[in-house]
Amino acid sequence: MTAGPAEAAMAPWTLDRALAIAALDETVNAVFVTDADGVIQWVNRAFTELTGWAAEEAIGETPRIFQSGLHGRSYYEQLWKTIRAGKPFRSHVANRRPDGELYFASQSVTPICVDGKPAYFIAIQEDVTKLMEQQRELERLAYIDPLTGLGNRRAMYERVRELVAAGRVFALLIVDLNDFKAVNDCFGHTTGDELLRSVSRAIQRVATPGDAFRLGGDEFVVLHQGDQPLKDNALAARIAARSRKDAKRLVPDCAVTASIGFARYPQDATNGQDLLRFADLALYAAKSRGSVVAHYAPEMGARAIREQTLRQGLGIADFDREFSVAYQPIVDLSSGATTGFEALARWTHPTYGVIAPDEFIPLAERSGQVRGLGRWVLRRALEHLRSQADDHLRMNVNVAYAQLLQRGFVDEVMTTLDEFGVDPARLELELTESQEIDDERILGVIADLRDLGVGIAIDDFGTGYSSLSRLARLPITALKIDRSFVTELSGSERDQTVVRAVISTAQAIGQRVVAEGIETEEELAVLRNFGCDEGQGYLLGRPARVLAAGERQAA
Ligand code: C2E
Ligand code: MG
Ligand code: MG
């Protein structure tokens, strides 16, 4: 479009105007001009490309032909109000091409006034479809965990809000892998990542699409609609089983398991934050009692606080001030004479008072404090033994597996025996029946202790999975039958048979048999009758803190 010399001569600005029209026609943005009623009068070249309308089809129509249906009436009202008042209107607009395809444009509509009134409107639109798509993708990514493709914490909260708003009843399950750190440490992060992806797939197979999330690390969340906690339990069990199976395939030597805690809306909590917190407490409870699934209960909060306080307390405890040892007699069942004592740790906590070892020993085991505590108990026990007039009495001391694995443990036992002048044969260490006893290193330490002359007793026999024949191959000196068997003795024929068999088998290979927790004369009579060597229990003597010769205080 070039202006001829005649036109150029008409007025000094004519050429500029021609240029301006050329510029509008050539610009990459779509431009169209309407009259005061919105009827399209002129369009530029880019217009057809953007809108899909040919110039001759569009001219005479109104911009209504572009409408996508995505903007409400108020959008158009606002537009007309603004431009009729002589002001430009800027917005993002979603329009449709004649074939229905959606596109996004950044648009400005500017009135051109004649005699102070808008006579024409010029609309300029720039295609921003790609930009919008990128933005949406970014927005979507902000809700996605890149490793697994599951929704992230934000997405989880969003979904919880949706479910709450819709008045749904649902459970929030937190899935957490046990020993995941060990996988990362032993096999590297690539395998760790692979494991997380495979667990996420396991979860996706059983969760409703869009209701599984990864919060980070090895922590996943599943939302489960419905009002039956039993079904939550079943779902959790399925997730745990599948995760375990997948982990086994990937890292066969690592026993990776999943623990799951859940809380329900609206029964347990009425907002997303509390729901997550309570599910987390339930998870913690599941882990600390070694179970796969736990449903939140209000007392879990108090218990977690107590556990936390105890754990911290253990870390800073002055053993001499807060701990003591109670001694429970072990009695020869045929003669009734006391053959020795079992040393039992007691903790008098500054705020909670006396705490049973069943509560603090597992905490101490997890924090590693059990080594220091065990060393302290051994010293007190041997000190106590030295003070006894009878130099045939034995002292039984419980030890945790973590103690045995400690470097120099056997030397330490030897030095302590030396220090208190106690014959090694008078010390018997009690190990609970557990699979850990199969560990090569543990077997080595047991052999070294036996070489030293120290006795080894298997504690709580019957609660674990050891077979007698396997224990028979270990160089142990005594077998302590768990209290649960003794309690059942008077009622159950089956238990009688089992106990009788255990006693005769152990004795046949030279192991002493000690029955724990004898509380009644009847139990005592049956055990005596079976030829059980020794017994321990409230009937024969309670654990007591010996203050001075002849003066005792129950503990
Ligand atoms: P355990 O070695 O099996 O000790 C026997 C437990 O049974 C003691 O509980 C004792 O008080 C209790 N008991 C004894 N006779 C009876 C009875 O007739 N009836 C009933 N109901 N209970 C009886 P306690 O002192 O609470 O110790 C619990 C466990 O804590 C012990 O079980 C032992 O495994 C562990 N433990 C205690 N002290 C230590 C320690 O110094 N180091 C380690 N590693 N563990 C310890
Ligand atoms: Mg014991
Ligand atoms: Mg026991």
Side-chain angles (χ1 to χ4, degrees):
M1 189 197 277
T2 40
E7 288 163 86
M10 280 168 67
W13 41 266
T14 314
L15 180 62
D16 289 347
R17 163 172 281 207
L19 246 182
I21 292 171
L24 272 185
D25 204 26
E26 296 297 325
T27 180
V28 293
N29 294 334
V31 181
F32 63 93
V33 179
T34 73
D35 64 11
D37 297 323
V39 177
I40 298 172
Q41 307 293 317
W42 183 84
V43 304
N44 75 346
R45 281 192 214 202
F47 172 89
T48 299
E49 201 180 314
L50 177 67
T51 65
W53 288 87
E56 56 275 21
E57 290 169 334
I59 289 172
E61 298 282 345
T62 70
R64 223 168 282 140
I65 57 173
F66 312 136
Q67 283 186 10
S68 61
L70 293 178
H71 296 281
R73 270 219 350 240
S74 65
Y75 171 82
Y76 298 104
E77 282 168 8
Q78 186 66 35
L79 180 134
W80 280 109
K81 206 173 127 201
T82 311
I83 57 179
R84 284 215 170 104
K87 290 185 217 137
F89 181 84
R90 284 191 192 85
S91 69
H92 278 97
V93 62
N95 282 345
R96 265 185 220 288
R97 301 203 167 95
D99 61 4
E101 191 187 4
L102 203 64
Y103 64 93
F104 296 91
S106 160
Q107 150 175 280
S108 66
V109 184
T110 313
I112 300 170
C113 294
V114 173
D115 297 334
K117 270 208 217 137
Y120 297 96
F121 300 109
I122 172 162
I124 303 179
Q125 297 186 339
E126 181 179 5
D127 189 357
V128 291
T129 309
K130 279 230 161 60
L131 206 73
M132 294 287 271
E133 275 165 5
Q134 279 165 3
Q135 215 161 39
R136 270 209 208 151
E137 178 63 9
L138 281 179
E139 233 160 74
R140 195 181 66 82
L141 286 180
Y143 285 87
I144 292 278
D145 165 48
L147 180 70
T148 60
L150 293 178
N152 59 12
R153 186 182 292 266
R154 265 175 78 180
M156 189 272 295
Y157 276 127
E158 195 75 35
R159 180 71 181 132
V160 166
R161 264 196 293 278
E162 265 175 43
L163 292 175
V164 167
R168 296 292 163 77
V169 173
F170 64 97
L172 185 153
L173 287 74
I174 299 189
V175 182
D176 186 283
L177 299 180
N178 299 307
D179 291 326
F180 176 67
K181 197 179 163 295
V183 174
N184 264 338
D185 291 349
C186 303
F187 300 95
H189 287 266
T190 314
T191 308
D193 286 355
E194 217 171 305
L195 178 61
L196 291 176
R197 273 194 294 266
S198 109
V199 168
S200 97
R201 281 192 298 271
I203 290 175
Q204 274 170 304
R205 281 201 297 273
V206 291
T208 309
D211 281 346
F213 309 86
R214 174 169 170 249
L215 301 193
D218 58 346
E219 224 174 47
F220 298 84
V221 161
V222 175
L223 300 175
H224 183 226
Q225 294 190 46
D227 56 5
Q228 295 180 35
L230 268 181
K231 292 199 172 155
D232 301 331
N233 258 311
L235 176 72
R238 274 210 306 281
I239 291 173
R242 283 176 189 240
S243 307
R244 197 172 49 232
K245 213 166 102 196
D246 285 7
K248 195 162 179 111
R249 193 158 9 94
L250 214 57
V251 280
D253 302 333
C254 257
V256 177
T257 55
S259 294
I260 296 165
F262 70 91
R264 302 189 50 79
Y265 176 88
Q267 176 189 333
D268 300 326
T270 49
N271 65 64
Q273 245 110 24
D274 282 352
L275 208 53
L276 187 68
R277 199 157 55 83
F278 293 168
D280 207 37
L281 282 173
L283 172 71
Y284 185 72
K287 283 191 182 229
S288 66
R289 45 168 121 111
S291 51
V292 176
V293 194
H295 180 183
Y296 168 76
E299 61 269 20
M300 283 174 179
R303 205 176 301 150
I305 289 171
R306 180 179 163 108
E307 222 176 284
Q308 180 76 15
T309 315
L310 292 184
R311 206 189 290 261
Q312 278 167 359
L314 263 180
I316 54 167
D318 173 354
F319 294 137
D320 284 327
R321 276 228 328 251
E322 293 178 23
F323 281 78
S324 60
V325 181
Y327 300 96
Q328 185 175 32
I330 298 174
V331 172
D332 181 308
L333 290 190
S334 51
S335 71
T338 295
T339 57
F341 294 93
E342 175 173 4
L344 297 161
R346 296 287 177 265
W347 184 10
T348 309
H349 187 271
T351 14
Y352 293 120
V354 178
I355 297 165
D358 283 337
E359 186 174 3
F360 67 78
I361 293 288
L363 294 183
E365 277 180 339
R366 268 184 266 152
S367 68
Q369 278 285 316
V370 77
R371 302 191 198 119
L373 179 61
R375 184 181 303 135
W376 182 85
V377 171
L378 180 68
R379 295 183 63 82
R380 290 291 78 73
L382 292 183
E383 190 178 50
H384 178 68
L385 193 61
R386 183 178 59 179
S387 71
Q388 297 293 303
D390 182 347
D391 61 7
H392 292 296
L393 288 175
R394 227 180 24 242
M395 183 60 76
N396 278 41
V397 177
N398 298 284
V399 287
Y401 285 93
Q403 281 178 267
L404 296 203
L405 290 176
Q406 200 180 4
R407 198 186 291 273
F409 176 72
V410 178
D411 288 341
E412 194 182 299
V413 170
M414 191 167 66
T415 321
T416 315
L417 283 165
D418 257 4
E419 184 184 335
F420 293 101
V422 172
D423 176 0
R426 294 177 66 199
L427 174 65
E428 189 164 72
L429 299 180
E430 297 192 3
L431 279 173
T432 51
E433 184 195 355
S434 148
Q435 286 162 339
E436 284 167 281
I437 208 155
D438 281 330
D439 187 317
E440 282 299 321
R441 293 170 300 170
I442 295 286
L443 290 175
V445 176
I446 290 177
D448 289 348
L449 287 166
R450 289 296 298 123
D451 286 346
L452 212 64
V454 172
I456 301 287
I458 298 298
D459 203 355
D460 304 342
F461 179 75
T463 56
Y465 304 96
S466 322
S467 68
L468 254 188
S469 61
R470 221 185 62 231
L471 287 180
R473 271 179 265 131
L474 299 177
I476 58 179
T477 42
L479 207 59
K480 297 185 76 171
I481 299 178
D482 191 65
R483 175 159 57 91
S484 54
F485 279 95
V486 174
T487 313
E488 295 292 316
L489 266 187
S490 40
S492 155
E493 288 268 331
R494 214 182 122 260
D495 279 353
Q496 290 205 4
T497 317
V498 172
V499 169
R500 191 197 290 260
V502 169
I503 292 172
S504 57
T505 314
Q507 286 173 341
I509 51 172
Q511 293 171 356
R512 249 169 48 250
V513 181
V514 186
E516 295 187 290
I518 304 175
E519 290 181 354
T520 67
E521 293 289 354
E522 197 183 349
E523 291 160 2
L524 179 64
V526 175
L527 288 160
R528 236 188 219 138
N529 186 30
F530 287 170
C532 183
D533 301 286
E534 294 177 349
Q536 190 179 348
Y538 292 169
L539 181 72
L540 306 168
R542 288 189 174 254
R545 274 185 266 179
V546 180
L547 303 175
E551 188 189 348
R552 285 182 168 221
Q553 178 190 304

